[in-house]
């Protein structure tokens, strides 16, 4: 699934053909690992994504709308200052290395034409985007690398740019396939054919190497020395085809998808057949379109994960604190269950005052409450009189009784708060936009889980309320779905009419869902489809046969002082559905 050098070579040609001489119109930095350049040609505007993510480093045109922070990072401001209105004049790649150079010409403040370069290094967790001046000096980078991080290659402003260390592999652009096969045969390494290809060839990913091995050996992997003469001929022919693929001007991208789930498995510049009946290989319209589709959902989740880390930490800390508190209180509650024994001890002391005297520490008294246990040992405080000891036991009994009532109340409140935090965690996992995160953050501020400084209080603005998600049933009923707890309250208690139908997953966190009746009888089809949507926007998204309660809005109420999103309802019915994305 790696973006290899040959695939990058085709991307380079695609970018150069599409956007050469295009001007940089706008520059965005959605997060610390991505840049987006808006390139304007005479006829159209393209968005070029430069990503240095460890698991999805790449460069390609994208059609995705990526949310940007309100305050641009320092690198973004530098690029806007130096690269805005620059012209993309050349896209370079050294042999089949996974490094791309975007050369721009731009006029500086003095009116001189200068050459600036963006270097995109696609190397797993060492991926980076580096900004160079005309002399090859680093101006800045997405990821700065100092001496504490690496002693081999520093990436800091003011230092000359050094290319990544070479891997000393053979390039099919310069080395004949016969020579490659000869070198592999003379190698002393006894490794599988796919691993030998990976160690020998420059610019090929494990996917390509496994594909060649599959075509040569079938389902039984082998080593190069054990190849038969016909297998050697097949391998040589495949190497020649691979060299042609690397040299051709315009290639065809291929995507392998799981035939059962429809999820992408791998991509490459050649057809992928190694998955057999499990995978289906299909052509894609362009290399950029392939990468855009392949990584879109994964990157959306990754971006939101980065943006929600702080909120997740707040919720996790609060949940752990409450859980510890509940555990301690439950331990104290278990101790309170022994309070009746305290009362019995007081009664027994009072019944035997004539036998006891001050200074006794332990006495054995007749237990008239339990004939089966005629005698019971009772501890006494030798500094107190027998009557005072009895009163002490009664006082501890009353204290334990009061504690039990308070503990039960506090435990119920803490468990309700844990349930509320669980709903916020669930809605945070479903958040897909910056506005939804702002609303969740504002909710936590109002509930006191996030402290706000005076400076922030003065400058901060309450985010405008977003609209609920809206869908339509197959027979035309509007279905509204809340995005978070505050919106759930607004949807159920203010927007919905009494005759509308309210749905929610039973006993699990999820969104409030409302079917708008418009003064019509709601059909069974609409109820079933709305229940599927309610199950999809809940914690039970990946489950089957999910119970969903539904009732009229008139039977839904919010208790005084309840947390956002918490309601009670009656007259409900339950339907079991499998979640379905609307």
């Amino acid at each position: 699934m790696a973006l290899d050098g040959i695939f990058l070579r085709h991307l380079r040609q695609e970018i150069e053909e599409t956007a050469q001489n295009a001007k940089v119109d706008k520059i965005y930095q959605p997060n610390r690992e991505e840049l987006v350049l808006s390139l304007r040609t005479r006829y159209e505007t393209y968005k070029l994504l430069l990503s240095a993510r460890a698991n999805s480093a790449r460069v390609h045109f994208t059609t995705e709308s990526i949310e940007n922070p309100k305050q641009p990072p320092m690198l973004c401001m530098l690029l806007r200052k130096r690269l805005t209105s620059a012209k993309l004049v050349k896209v370079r790649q050294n042999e089949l290395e996974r490094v791309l150079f975007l050369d721009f010409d731009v006029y500086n403040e003095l009116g001189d034409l200068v050459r600036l370069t963006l270097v995109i290094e696609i190397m797993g967790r060492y991926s980076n985007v580096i900004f160079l001046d005309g002399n090859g000096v680093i101006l800045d980078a997405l990821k700065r690398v100092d001496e504490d991080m690496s002693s081999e290659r520093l990436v800091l402003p003011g230092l000359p740019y050094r290319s990544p260390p070479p891997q000393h592999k053979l390039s099919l652009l310069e080395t004949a396939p016969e020579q490659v096969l000869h070198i592999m045969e003379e190698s002393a390494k006894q490794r599988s054919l796919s691993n030998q290809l990976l160690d020998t060839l420059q610019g090929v990913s494990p996917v390509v190497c496994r594909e060649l091995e599959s075509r040569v050996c079938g389902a039984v992997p082998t080593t190069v020395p054990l190849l038969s003469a016909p297998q050697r001929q097949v391998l040589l022919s495949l190497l020649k085809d691979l060299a042609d693929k690397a040299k051709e001007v315009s290639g065809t991208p291929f995507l392998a998808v799981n035939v059962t789930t429809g999820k992408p498995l791998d991509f490459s510049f050649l057809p992928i057949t190694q998955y057999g009946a499990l995978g289906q290989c299909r052509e894609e319209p362009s290399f950029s379109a392939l990468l855009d589709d392949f990584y879109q959902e994964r990157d959306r989740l990754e971006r939101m994960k980065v943006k929600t880390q702080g909120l997740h930490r707040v919720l996790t800390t609060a949940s752990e604190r409450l859980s510890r508190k509940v555990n301690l209180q439950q331990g104290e509650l278990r101790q309170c269950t022994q309070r009746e024994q305290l009362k019995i001890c007081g009664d027994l002391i009072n019944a035997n005052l004539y036998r006891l005297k001050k200074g006794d520490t332990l006495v054995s008294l007749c237990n008239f409450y339990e004939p089966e246990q005629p005698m019971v040992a009772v501890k006494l405080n030798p500094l107190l009189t027998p009557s005072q000891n009895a009163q002490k036991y009664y006082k501890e009994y009353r204290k334990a009784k009061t504690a039990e009532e308070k503990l039960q109340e506090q435990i119920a409140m803490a468990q309700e708060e844990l349930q509320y935090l669980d709903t916020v965690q669930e809605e945070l996992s479903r958040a897909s936009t910056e506005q939804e995160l702002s609303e969740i953050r504002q909710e936590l501020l109002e509930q006191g889980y996030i402290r706000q400084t005076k400076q922030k209080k003065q400058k901060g603005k309450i985010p405008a309320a977003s609209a609920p998600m809206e869908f339509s049933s197959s027979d035309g009923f509007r279905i509204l779905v809340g995005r978070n707890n505050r919106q759930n309250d607004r949807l159920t208690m203010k927007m919905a009419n009494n005759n509308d139908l309210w749905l929610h997953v039973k006993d699990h966190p999820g969104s409030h869902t409302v079917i708008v009746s418009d003064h019509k009888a709601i059909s069974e089809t609409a109820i079933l489809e709305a229940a599927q949507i309610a199950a999809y926007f809940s914690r039970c998204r990946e489950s089957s046969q999910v119970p969903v309660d539904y009732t009229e809005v008139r039977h839904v109420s919010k208790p005084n002082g309840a947390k956002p999103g918490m309601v009670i309802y009656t007259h409900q019915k339950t339907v079991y559905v499998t979640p379905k994305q609307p």
Side-chain angles (χ1 to χ4, degrees):
M1 206 157 56
L3 197 161
D4 56 31
I6 299 179
F7 197 98
L8 186 62
R9 181 177 172 84
H10 291 296
L11 272 172
R12 182 198 68 78
Q13 294 167 346
E14 186 174 283
I15 294 170
E16 195 167 54
E17 291 172 2
T18 305
Q20 189 169 18
N21 295 323
K23 287 192 174 182
V24 178
D25 188 28
K26 297 177 182 177
I27 301 173
Y28 307 102
Q29 188 178 348
N31 51 66
R32 61 184 180 183
E33 295 181 318
E34 289 180 328
L35 288 169
V36 178
L37 305 182
S38 178
L39 301 175
R40 178 168 47 84
T41 66
R42 295 178 62 183
Y43 309 101
E44 198 168 348
T45 300
Y46 302 92
K47 288 188 293 185
L48 186 64
L49 173 67
L50 316 179
S51 174
R53 292 184 182 276
N55 61 347
S56 59
R58 64 199 190 279
V59 50
H60 62 86
F61 294 113
T62 182
T63 58
E64 185 182 4
S65 297
I66 304 174
E67 280 195 304
N68 298 291
K70 296 179 181 178
Q71 182 66 32
M74 293 298 295
L75 174 60
C76 182
M77 291 192 289
L78 173 64
L79 291 171
R80 287 176 179 178
K81 178 181 178 181
R82 302 293 297 269
L83 270 187
T84 300
S85 298
K87 182 188 292 186
L88 178 63
V89 293
K90 195 170 185 179
V91 185
R92 296 181 286 120
Q93 180 188 16
N94 294 333
E95 296 184 344
L96 296 177
E97 295 287 351
R98 289 184 297 168
V99 180
L100 213 59
F101 298 84
L102 304 179
D103 292 333
F104 298 89
D105 280 351
V106 64
Y107 290 96
N108 61 14
E109 295 88 344
L110 301 177
D112 299 326
L113 186 66
V114 296
R115 172 69 55 88
L116 301 174
T117 303
L118 278 176
V119 186
I120 303 97
E121 299 178 347
I122 301 173
M123 302 180 297
R125 62 192 182 98
Y126 300 106
S127 300
N128 207 345
V129 178
I130 305 172
F131 187 32
L132 310 180
D133 67 8
N135 299 317
V137 176
I138 298 173
L139 296 174
D140 210 340
L142 274 181
K143 301 176 183 177
R144 295 184 178 183
V145 181
D146 56 22
E147 293 180 350
D148 295 332
M149 303 169 67
S150 173
S151 58
E152 299 292 328
R153 180 171 175 257
L154 303 182
V155 181
L156 294 171
L159 297 180
Y161 172 76
R162 292 169 50 200
S163 297
Q167 294 181 301
H168 305 294
K169 295 183 179 181
L170 302 177
S171 170
L172 287 172
L173 298 177
E174 300 178 351
T175 309
E178 293 83 1
Q179 186 179 354
V180 172
L181 181 58
H182 178 70
I183 292 174
M184 289 174 62
E185 289 174 336
E186 290 188 343
S187 175
K189 297 180 180 179
Q190 295 295 319
R191 307 189 67 185
S192 65
L193 176 57
S194 62
N195 288 332
Q196 190 72 29
L197 288 167
L198 193 62
D199 291 342
T200 306
L201 293 177
Q202 181 192 58
V204 292
S205 64
V207 176
V208 174
C209 296
R210 291 198 306 268
E211 182 64 28
L212 297 183
E213 183 182 57
S214 173
R215 296 185 186 185
V216 172
C217 311
V220 183
T222 186
T223 59
V224 176
L226 296 179
L227 291 175
S228 63
Q231 287 176 326
R232 280 184 170 82
Q233 289 300 318
V234 172
L235 178 58
L236 182 60
S237 175
L238 291 173
L239 289 175
K240 291 179 179 178
D241 290 342
L242 191 63
D244 293 339
K245 289 281 186 185
K247 295 174 183 176
E248 66 184 7
V249 176
S250 59
T252 303
F254 295 91
L255 178 68
V257 297
N258 189 308
V259 294
T260 305
T261 63
K263 293 184 178 180
L265 294 171
D266 271 315
F267 62 84
S268 183
F269 53 86
L270 49 79
I272 303 173
T273 62
Q274 59 190 274
Y275 294 105
L278 176 64
Q280 176 187 4
C281 186
R282 68 185 188 213
E283 291 187 16
E284 292 293 312
S286 68
F287 289 88
S288 289
L290 184 154
L291 294 178
D292 211 18
D293 292 341
F294 190 90
Y295 287 111
Q296 191 174 58
E297 181 63 15
R298 177 192 296 183
D299 275 9
R300 185 191 69 79
L301 295 175
E302 183 68 23
R303 291 186 193 105
M304 294 309 298
K305 181 180 177 181
V306 172
K307 291 180 179 180
T308 58
Q309 281 179 347
L311 295 179
H312 273 300
R313 190 161 49 247
V314 169
L315 293 172
T316 302
T317 302
S319 297
E320 290 177 349
R321 176 180 55 79
L322 278 172
S323 297
R324 289 194 299 268
K325 179 181 177 182
V326 168
N327 288 335
L328 291 172
Q329 289 176 336
Q330 287 176 337
E332 295 176 10
L333 186 62
R334 285 191 293 270
Q335 294 176 359
C336 292
T337 58
Q338 306 297 322
R339 69 179 188 278
E340 290 299 327
Q341 191 64 32
L342 298 173
K343 184 175 181 297
I344 291 173
C345 290
D347 290 345
L348 295 181
I349 293 173
N350 276 335
N352 293 274
L353 286 176
Y354 67 96
R355 296 178 48 199
L356 306 177
K357 63 181 184 298
K358 186 175 181 180
D360 291 338
T361 57
L362 181 66
V363 293
S364 183
L365 302 177
C366 179
N367 186 1
F368 45 80
Y369 288 106
E370 297 183 14
E372 297 84 3
Q373 186 182 358
M375 304 300 291
V376 63
V378 179
K379 292 182 179 180
L380 300 175
N381 187 338
L383 301 178
L384 302 178
T385 65
S387 179
Q388 288 174 332
N389 272 295
Q391 294 304 316
K392 182 174 180 293
Y393 273 110
Y394 288 140
K395 183 178 180 181
E396 291 177 357
Y397 165 76
R398 290 191 296 270
K399 182 179 178 182
K401 185 178 180 180
T402 304
E404 183 179 29
E405 295 172 355
K406 295 295 183 183
L407 284 171
Q408 288 175 340
E409 181 181 342
Q410 291 177 2
I411 289 173
M413 292 174 59
Q415 289 175 337
E416 184 178 337
E417 189 173 356
L418 279 171
Q419 185 180 357
Y420 165 72
L421 292 174
D422 203 24
T423 65
V424 181
Q425 284 275 19
E426 197 276 330
E427 71 188 38
L428 191 60
S429 69
R430 290 188 284 107
S432 58
T433 65
E434 184 67 36
Q435 185 176 12
E436 291 179 21
L437 290 183
S438 297
E439 291 184 356
I440 296 173
R441 190 177 292 108
Q442 183 64 29
E443 177 184 337
L444 294 176
L445 275 169
E446 293 173 354
Q447 297 301 316
Y449 293 101
I450 298 178
R451 293 183 180 179
Q452 196 173 39
T453 62
K454 291 182 179 179
Q455 185 176 4
K456 287 185 177 179
K457 285 181 180 178
Q458 295 170 356
K459 294 184 178 181
K461 294 182 179 179
I462 298 176
S466 60
M469 294 178 282
E470 183 170 340
F471 307 99
S472 179
S473 67
S474 57
D475 52 0
F477 283 93
R478 290 171 62 216
I479 301 173
L480 304 178
V481 182
R483 301 173 188 269
N484 49 62
N485 284 325
R486 297 173 74 205
Q487 198 176 89
N488 285 338
D489 280 349
R490 192 163 59 250
L491 172 62
T492 302
M493 310 313 299
K494 294 184 178 180
M495 296 177 61
N497 294 320
N498 284 339
N499 295 326
D500 295 342
L501 204 64
W502 182 88
L503 302 93
H504 194 280
V505 169
K506 187 175 183 178
D507 299 331
H508 289 283
S511 294
H512 292 201
T513 305
V514 172
I515 305 176
V516 181
S517 63
D518 283 334
H519 307 290
K520 296 183 293 185
I522 298 175
S523 66
E524 293 293 331
T525 301
I527 294 174
L528 180 63
E529 293 176 357
Q532 291 174 330
I533 293 174
Y536 181 80
F537 290 104
S538 74
R539 179 161 292 172
C540 304
R541 176 180 293 194
E542 303 297 331
S543 306
S544 59
Q545 293 299 302
V546 178
V548 178
D549 288 341
Y550 65 94
T551 186
E552 289 185 339
V553 172
R554 69 177 74 251
H555 300 307
V556 182
S557 59
K558 188 173 183 66
N560 291 332
K563 294 283 188 181
M566 310 298 285
V567 296
I568 55 177
Y569 55 93
T570 58
H571 298 79
Q572 72 272 18
K573 297 180 181 178
T574 304
V575 60
Y576 290 82
V577 296
T578 298
K580 184 179 179 181
Q581 182 175 5

